[in-house]
Amino acid sequence: METKYWIVDSHVEKEQVYPQIKEASDLLKQNKVVAFPTETVYGLGANAWSDEAVQKVFQAKGRPSDNPLIVHIASRNQVESLAVDISEVAKKCMDAFWPGPLTIVMKRKEGLSNAVTAGLSTVGIRMPDHPIALALIKEANLPIAAPSANISGKPSPTSAAHVKEDLDGKIAGIVDGGATGVGVESTVIDCTTEGQIVILRPGGITKEQLENVTGVDVLFDDALFTEKKQPKAPGMKYTHYAPNAPLYLVEGSPAFLQSLVDEKRKKGLKVGVLTTAERKEMYQADTLFTCGYRNDLASVNHHLYDVLRKFNHAHVDIIFSETFPKQGVGVALMNRLEKAAGKKYIREHEEEH
Ligand code: TXA
Ligand code: MG
């Protein structure tokens, strides 16, 4: 299949409709699959009412069919067509964080493609904060089911080039709106129980922000996401983001990380290091990628998936990464890094854990 490619300037007047967006939305209305930018990562969109359209998304990504898709909307009145029994807490979250990187799981209504919800009685809904995404959804006049626009298991795409790398020839079109902002996927919360919020996937909206706005208990338990327990967000149980070379998370000083690098290089291995601007001068490795600033964890999130993809192109044998405090958006960052590393840690001081 030929994949159409449109470039749209994302610094445009909010929700202005360009001919490219009109063409892309026409394809969505014909139940074809189109990738588009959001403020988190690129999404792979399809008409959420249509089984035929949604099946194409699963097929293009190679996604397991038990993993539900997020439904993207452009206005608040679309929620009522998708969900029932919307809790007060959910409404507060919509008011405070939409449009934005927050997906709210609610009880679903009939009518949605069953493929979207993977047979669950709930649906995850989000209003993205990106002028192109909003314009596209409005123009299509449909709720748009969209997972991240990558091959299942690979890092999510934060540029149209990443989408092309994975899906060129497999989908109807790609809207290129430049690099995404947040860089990791939305926070997914379960709001089906009145009076509490459960974070199913950490992201750009933090536990603290949710607590401040709603005043209810916000639960987040990393253990929810281990293989042993049935994860509440089905997607959390799958391996994700893993680079081709084994990745190790190093807790300790830069000197300790360097000693690990030296040891492997002596054995003739090509070693990669994932570092930050503040520390990049401290290492000598075969390949070194700087991933934002340690004193600004949002900037590390912004660059993370691009750097993980770059390691694949650099053909290293092993990668050592710095680690970051699990605070604020650092929770999402470490969640993604741990997934990419399969939780392989090397600690300088074992007794601290
Ligand atoms: O930022 C994002 O959320 C991006 C952009 C494109 O919007 N989308 C995204 O979609 O990351 P995806 O499909 O890669 O991840 C969706 C996550 C999965 O972990 C899935 O299991 C969970 O949300 N999810 C979706 N619907 C759910 C539901 N009804 N109940 C529980 N978890 C759900
Ligand atoms: Mg994904």
Side-chain angles (χ1 to χ4, degrees):
M1 158 184 341
E2 197 211 329
T3 302
K4 287 208 164 195
Y5 197 86
W6 306 273
I7 295 176
V8 180
D9 182 357
S10 65
H11 300 283
V12 292
E13 216 176 290
K14 234 186 161 88
E15 298 173 42
Q16 188 177 335
V17 177
Y18 285 75
Q20 303 95 304
I21 288 177
K22 177 85 181 55
E23 256 187 73
S25 69
D26 283 344
L27 293 182
L28 288 171
K29 285 191 224 171
Q30 295 161 25
N31 292 339
K32 294 186 177 157
V33 166
V34 173
F36 61 94
T38 80
E39 83 281 29
T40 58
V41 300
Y42 273 71
L44 187 57
N47 174 4
W49 300 127
S50 161
D51 275 332
E52 179 206 355
V54 175
Q55 292 298 353
K56 286 180 190 163
V57 169
F58 281 88
Q59 210 168 16
K61 280 183 62 90
R63 180 173 175 115
S65 60
D66 67 346
N67 192 4
L69 308 185
I70 294 169
V71 178
H72 294 68
I73 58 174
S75 78
R76 268 291 283 278
N77 36 18
Q78 283 179 289
V79 176
E80 277 71 35
S81 67
L82 303 165
V84 288
D85 298 343
I86 301 159
S87 67
E88 287 309 310
V89 167
K91 285 180 192 156
K92 274 190 190 163
C93 289
M94 292 179 211
D95 289 340
F97 301 111
W98 280 2
L102 182 72
T103 297
I104 305 178
V105 172
M106 295 177 264
K107 283 196 190 122
R108 66 167 282 190
K109 223 173 177 171
E110 293 306 305
L112 269 177
S113 159
N114 277 320
V116 170
T117 57
L120 297 176
S121 58
T122 53
V123 57
I125 305 176
R126 142 170 147 81
M127 191 190 293
D129 188 14
H130 194 291
I132 293 174
L134 291 171
L136 186 65
I137 298 165
K138 257 203 185 133
E139 187 60 23
N141 195 24
L142 294 166
I144 298 296
S148 50
N150 52 291
I151 297 283
S152 268
K154 287 238 231 162
S156 295
T158 52
S159 71
H162 295 161
V163 180
K164 232 177 173 175
E165 181 174 85
D166 282 11
L167 297 173
D168 197 28
K170 296 182 180 166
I171 59 175
I174 302 172
V175 184
D176 180 349
T180 60
V182 180
V184 296
E185 304 85 341
S186 62
T187 303
V188 180
I189 58 171
D190 182 336
C191 275
T192 56
T193 311
E194 195 66 66
Q196 73 167 41
I197 292 175
V198 182
I199 296 181
L200 304 179
R201 177 178 72 181
I205 301 293
T206 63
K207 183 175 188 281
E208 294 74 24
Q209 284 175 292
L210 291 164
E211 276 166 353
N212 288 342
V213 160
T214 63
V216 302
D217 286 335
V218 180
L219 312 175
F220 173 62
D221 180 2
D222 245 344
L224 273 176
F225 308 114
T226 61
E227 310 74 46
K228 287 184 198 104
K229 294 191 188 171
Q230 176 65 28
K232 286 196 91 183
M236 298 301 284
K237 71 172 180 256
Y238 294 106
T239 316
H240 268 97
Y241 322 124
N244 297 337
L247 167 66
Y248 290 87
L249 306 182
V250 180
E251 260 180 22
S253 62
F256 176 67
L257 196 154
Q258 183 63 46
S259 73
L260 298 170
V261 174
D262 293 342
E263 191 189 312
K264 294 297 176 191
R265 289 179 93 189
K266 262 187 217 141
K267 292 183 181 155
L269 296 183
K270 278 186 72 184
V271 183
V273 169
L274 189 158
T275 181
T276 41
E278 292 92 333
R279 295 191 179 173
K280 66 175 190 223
E281 313 293 345
M282 298 182 185
Y283 304 110
Q284 288 215 306
D286 297 288
T287 300
L288 186 137
F289 289 122
T290 303
C291 192
Y293 290 83
R294 166 167 287 279
N295 70 5
D296 172 15
L297 296 182
S299 75
V300 184
N301 281 339
H302 176 76
H303 292 286
L304 181 67
Y305 292 147
D306 185 49
V307 166
L308 289 177
R309 280 178 184 256
K310 277 190 188 147
F311 276 118
N312 288 345
H313 297 297
H315 302 293
V316 292
D317 298 312
I318 186 167
I319 306 162
F320 295 109
S321 172
E322 292 178 5
T323 50
F324 303 90
K326 288 181 181 175
Q327 277 159 20
V329 293
V331 176
L333 170 60
M334 287 309 297
N335 172 269
R336 304 309 192 276
L337 266 177
E338 286 184 355
K339 281 183 142 288
K343 290 212 165 180
K344 294 192 297 293
Y345 272 95
I346 302 177
R347 297 186 168 103
E348 186 171 16
H349 305 292
E350 207 49 64
E351 65 277 13
E352 283 173 18
H353 292 271

